[in-house]
Amino acid sequence: MGWRYAGFRLLLNDKFRRLMGENMEIAKPLEGVTVLDFGQVYNGPYCGFLLAQAGARVIKVESRVGEPLRTRAQATSASYPFSMLNGGKECITLNIKSDEGQKLLRSLVLKVDVLLENFAPGTLRNYGLGGKDLLKLNPKLIYAASTGYGDGGPYRDYLGMDITIQAMSGVMSITGEDSGPPMKAGAALCDFLGGVHLYGGIVSALFQREQTGFGAELDISMQDCVFPTLTTALGAYFLAGEQKPRTGNRHPGLSAAPYNVYQSKDGYVAMICIRDGHWRKLCSAMGRPELADDPRFVDMKSRSANMELLDESITKWTIELSKEEIFKKAQEHGVICAPVQGLADVVSDPHMHERGSLHWTHNEILGETVLMSTPLRFKDQSPPPLKPVPRLGHDTNDILEEMLGLSRKEIDELRALEAI
């Protein structure tokens, strides 16, 4: 259908909604867009998931043995990530190392709007299937690649995974306590930031194509994507002229207080006061209004200078209460606070379930699990229902028949040649 058709249909749907009533469901933002998703592990597949949830037709393309996360997806933690990131996609196999597989890809590229991948730089180019090669065949194609360090510069060929990007980007150097080694963030931040930026680049390129009629080749570097998260730490660095010691849960520049995680009777809570008014509200919540005018805590500069004493005073209050009690008092007094939730809390979070962000589902390996919907929401539009991931190559026959007009005999011959 193409992006132009999808955008036109969105405009028509909006006009029909105004004529027919507000309850009419309009087209998804990316309906009419077809994507070949060569993504593997987290980065590319998350981009593909977001595209599918926005209404695009996403065809996951894997080798004949499956992408790495699928092949690890037995009774391991990998089975959950694979299910979470690949629902709502069709699945085909394609052997890009074979001549016939390469011919198939060149034919498929003529039928799609986007090809996304997060291979090592130059992987597809080595087979004559890089961005410039495929754009010659389909000038309207969006060829979108995400790699550790981008497709240029001295780091180009360095292999990049989340932990190594956290190390190279500076994230690990500012994470943890000064008394210990650098620490990585527990979440796979770099992979998913890369996926989000890849998605943003694709949507931007589709919009540009509306204006120019031409596709684009995208080069997304995970290192580039992570750098902006250092903003606070970099501010402290340039102010001091050197990198200060790691500060654990405290403000990276040690210039805001309270700003920490405080122990309760049954866990921890996080609290921050960014204005003097917030500090006064916390003093009221603690039943210690006199602390607000204590010369040691009267303004942010004083509180930061007396951070140890300040945190001790707050902990004397929090240690006597449960997380729920502290959070309730904080909400009553307008204090910025949140309990530190464990994974069991997070997957059952009532707010996220009520918003439709999380859905309980049955996994044949893990039992009852939670799957996520897209964080990208549009008013008056519901995300598509979550679907299980097809088995490896489940849709290969149907897609080759539909898109390329191949007969069942021709498909069987390709399978015998190990092209699919």
Side-chain angles (χ1 to χ4, degrees):
M1 293 183 191
W3 170 259
R4 185 174 295 278
Y5 175 78
F8 178 64
R9 189 167 61 171
L10 275 172
L11 292 174
L12 287 179
N13 270 281
D14 194 44
K15 291 179 180 178
F16 280 129
R17 277 182 66 251
R18 287 195 286 269
L19 289 171
M20 303 298 292
E22 291 298 315
N23 292 326
M24 184 175 181
E25 183 79 8
I26 66 175
K28 299 292 186 292
L30 296 182
E31 280 192 36
V33 172
T34 302
V35 180
L36 290 180
D37 175 1
F38 280 86
Q40 48 186 346
V41 192
Y42 292 165
N43 184 332
Y46 184 54
C47 173
F49 171 81
L50 293 175
L51 292 166
Q53 287 280 291
R57 180 186 188 183
V58 179
I59 301 169
K60 184 174 180 66
V61 186
E62 300 176 74
S63 72
R64 297 175 66 251
V65 297
E67 68 121 311
L69 207 59
R70 184 192 286 270
T71 59
R72 296 186 350 232
Q74 298 304 316
T76 72
S77 60
S79 59
Y80 176 76
F82 186 80
S83 298
M84 183 174 74
L85 298 176
N86 292 289
K89 303 176 184 179
E90 297 167 82
C91 291
I92 69 172
T93 57
L94 191 66
N95 181 6
I96 61 171
K97 296 180 180 179
S98 75
D99 291 341
E100 292 301 323
Q102 293 164 21
K103 290 177 184 177
L104 281 175
L105 178 54
R106 292 187 181 97
S107 297
L108 286 170
V109 159
L110 300 176
K111 307 289 185 178
V112 303
D113 300 283
V114 178
L115 183 152
L116 74 88
E117 53 103 339
N118 62 307
F119 296 124
T123 297
L124 289 181
R125 188 162 55 234
N126 292 337
Y127 297 103
L129 301 171
K132 288 183 173 55
D133 303 307
L134 298 182
L135 278 162
K136 288 178 183 177
L137 299 175
N138 179 2
K140 292 188 174 183
L141 180 70
I142 310 299
Y143 183 101
S146 177
T147 58
Y149 301 99
D151 194 26
Y155 296 175
R156 175 191 178 277
D157 295 320
Y158 292 177
L159 299 178
M161 297 294 286
D162 194 87
I163 186 172
T164 58
I165 301 297
Q166 287 197 35
M168 189 72 86
S169 68
V171 170
M172 289 179 66
S173 76
I174 63 171
T175 305
E177 299 288 349
D178 187 46
S179 57
M183 298 283 289
K184 80 174 187 69
L189 298 177
C190 304
D191 278 326
F192 285 90
L193 280 169
V196 171
H197 282 78
L198 188 61
Y199 172 89
I202 289 169
V203 174
S204 299
L206 287 169
F207 183 79
Q208 177 180 284
R209 193 176 74 177
E210 283 287 278
Q211 322 307 313
T212 67
F214 294 103
E217 187 175 359
L218 302 180
D219 172 22
I220 305 299
S221 155
M222 290 165 65
Q223 185 183 30
D224 290 349
C225 298
V226 173
F227 183 83
T229 67
L230 304 175
T231 297
T232 302
L234 288 171
Y237 165 76
F238 285 115
L239 184 65
E242 62 179 351
Q243 181 166 338
K244 293 294 186 180
R246 289 183 297 279
T247 58
N249 289 315
R250 288 175 167 163
H251 186 272
L254 297 177
S255 58
Y259 183 119
N260 209 339
V261 171
Y262 301 92
Q263 188 173 0
S264 70
K265 287 171 68 174
D266 59 350
Y268 293 86
V269 296
M271 282 192 288
I272 176 177
C273 295
I274 58 175
R275 295 190 179 93
D276 292 341
H278 294 148
W279 167 239
R280 290 184 176 276
K281 290 175 180 179
L282 176 55
C283 292
S284 178
M286 293 191 298
R288 298 284 307 278
E290 74 281 1
L291 289 179
D293 297 314
D294 188 310
R296 297 168 298 178
F297 310 135
V298 70
D299 56 26
M300 184 66 79
K301 183 177 181 180
S302 303
R303 290 192 295 275
S304 298
N306 294 284
M307 196 175 288
E308 294 286 350
L309 185 59
L310 178 76
D311 284 344
E312 287 176 12
S313 300
I314 296 171
T315 302
K316 285 180 181 177
W317 173 63
T318 60
I319 198 69
E320 298 297 327
L321 302 171
S322 67
K323 292 188 296 185
E324 183 178 354
E325 290 170 327
I326 297 167
F327 186 54
K328 184 171 184 288
K329 285 182 179 289
Q331 297 309 300
E332 290 171 351
H333 289 82
V335 176
I336 306 171
C337 172
V340 176
Q341 296 200 118
L343 298 183
D345 303 313
V346 172
V347 297
S348 301
D349 190 295
H351 175 76
M352 296 189 74
H353 279 278
E354 185 171 326
R355 272 180 53 80
S357 302
L358 298 180
H359 305 266
W360 285 107
T361 186
H362 183 78
N363 181 291
E364 61 183 22
I365 296 174
L366 301 175
E368 290 302 305
T369 62
V370 158
L371 292 180
M372 64 178 182
S373 183
T374 174
L376 305 174
R377 299 300 183 89
F378 296 82
K379 289 291 186 181
D380 303 320
Q381 293 187 46
S382 302
L386 296 172
K387 298 178 182 178
V389 184
R391 69 180 183 275
L392 179 64
H394 176 269
D395 302 294
T396 303
N397 288 8
D398 292 341
I399 287 174
L400 294 183
E401 286 180 9
E402 172 204 341
M403 298 181 76
L404 303 184
L406 298 183
S407 67
R408 190 55 60 94
K409 180 181 178 182
E410 289 172 314
I411 293 172
D412 288 342
E413 290 173 352
L414 287 168
R415 191 164 277 114
L417 291 170
E418 299 186 349
I420 57 176

